[in-house]
Amino acid sequence: MTLLANSTLTAHDGILRGPIRHSINRARNAKGSIHDDATASKLGFRGGTVAGSIHNELFVPLLLEAFGQRWFERGTLSMYYLNATTDREAVRAFLKQPPAGARDTQVDAWVQREDGMHVAQGTASVGQPAEKSALLARPLDRFDVGELRILKGVGPGFRFEPQQVVCTAEQQRDRLAVTTEPIPWFSSDSPWGGPVVMLAPMVQMLYAKVVAAMRGTLGAVGLFGAIELRNVNGPLLVGRDYTCSGEVFAVGQSPKTEYMWFETGLDDASGLRVAEMRMQLRFMKASSKLYPELRGE
């Protein structure tokens, strides 16, 4: 085992290991959400869940060690979430080391709980690797679409209304107060000018505002099933205005959820595409009045 330049990381048998971290469920007081203990427990979870976007932040030092600052310019992190964790449960991020000197490469990435339970699994890359990312390669027809109730009327080609979004300095400070990986570029000048938007606020910029109007009419508890973040001409910078747009490209259901897959992107004032996201957003059937048979009614 070797100690790396970042003293919190270790490498063994070609795998980078982050330190044990205790991710905080900052949204545990959001009543009626999957992050609320009472709501999550009623739906069969052990307690209010830590959002997958929070676990993504565990990878920041590993991505910098593996790919350098170029990851923030042309890097991707593609994760499918396997098991939920609760507030401050011990977790660790892992990343296979890329070949020395590789400019366009992709490696496996995953998150485990301290007891070995797999929390998330996927890939990380920089540049333009030959392979598809974990989510781009994932088959979307595992379950028959069937008759959707929650997402009735939502299907491939459903477009979100473009929205102006920004990560303010206050929002960045709020996230910095609880993140496990507060690198200096998140709070002060970076090689690209001002502070770089952190990964969890990046997800919010690419999702929350454009999906809000549609999501508010569904009447069901949602949770992240998968997230792929792509820096296209990155990074996103704090205080900059961007236009978010996107559309749904697939819908489906599992025994417990209905879900939609969608792609969104952020363009700067000149129209340059800066960042993109692929997301699976799930809705718990048992939380919807449209599934009375699952609510015990």
Side-chain angles (χ1 to χ4, degrees), residues 137-158:
R138 189 173 185 85
L140 302 179
D141 56 356
R142 181 182 175 193
F143 298 104
D144 181 24
V145 173
E147 180 183 357
L148 299 176
R149 305 181 197 178
I150 300 168
L151 292 172
K152 183 179 180 180
V154 178
F158 180 96

Side-chain angles (χ1 to χ4, degrees), residues 195-213:
V196 173
V197 175
M198 300 169 67
L199 270 61
M202 182 178 178
V203 170
Q204 291 299 307
M205 293 173 70
L206 281 155
Y207 140 82
K209 202 169 180 181
V210 292
V211 178

